[in-house]
Amino acid sequence: MLRLLVLLLIGSLSLSACTTTTAPTLGADGKPLPRLYRISKSDEGRIQYRMLDSVNALRQASGAQPVALDAQLTAAAATHSRDMSVQNRPWHFGSDGSSPLERVARVGYGGQLGGENISETYETELETLSAWMEQDDTRRVILDPNSDQMGFAWYQEENGKIWWTLVMGRSLAAIPQG
């Protein structure tokens, strides 16, 4: 019996020696460097709808109506994501000084801007959404009960850095006339 137990122990140790664990690469600050999240052309539609479904799940949990993906808001988001990369800084103003209000007007959006969330990261869209939900101001944009439309886009640099932009709006049909 002891002999069988020793053989099993040796066998398990031998098998465990076969597994390799890769230690994370550490940055200058001693923290693990982010893993590269590469977005392919075939992933683009899935990413937009995964974000839309996630936003709507969060909105439903908070009692807000769902939003629909809007092409004009998405165009404004895409333009701003690329522009942030050109400027190499995440901020709400374009390289030409444009504000989010001006950008949605330029693409012909007839509704009201609800807000804009931006991020510069190597993280996935869902990790970015989670980070936005942790902050009061960006969470407010996502859960705004008056919004019924959303635009979402990104720009990924060759080095893997991703510039995310989410724009929320209220369609013309949802704005009370009076």
Side-chain angles (χ1 to χ4, degrees), residues 42-143:
S42 65
D43 290 332
E44 291 181 5
R46 283 190 291 263
I47 289 171
Q48 281 190 321
Y49 284 101
R50 190 167 40 235
M51 180 62 96
L52 178 65
D53 290 345
S54 299
V55 165
N56 280 333
L58 292 166
R59 290 176 62 82
Q60 181 181 15
S62 75
Q65 68 180 348
V67 293
L69 202 56
D70 179 81
Q72 291 170 319
L73 291 177
T74 296
T79 299
H80 192 55
S81 292
R82 181 176 276 282
D83 191 47
M84 286 189 296
S85 171
V86 169
Q87 295 180 71
N88 196 33
R89 64 178 168 179
W91 75 323
H92 293 283
F93 293 95
S95 55
D96 62 355
S98 62
S99 70
L101 280 170
E102 291 167 314
R103 287 192 297 277
V104 299
R106 281 182 190 162
V107 296
Y109 185 67
Q112 291 178 338
L113 175 68
E116 177 183 76
N117 287 345
I118 57 172
S119 181
E120 165 200 16
T121 184
Y122 291 88
E123 295 177 327
T124 69
E125 67 281 358
L126 298 182
E127 290 169 318
T128 301
L129 178 59
S130 178
W132 285 335
M133 289 300 290
E134 291 176 9
Q135 300 297 317
D136 289 339
D137 57 343
T138 51
R139 181 177 50 249
R140 236 184 331 271
V141 169
I142 294 165
L143 301 179

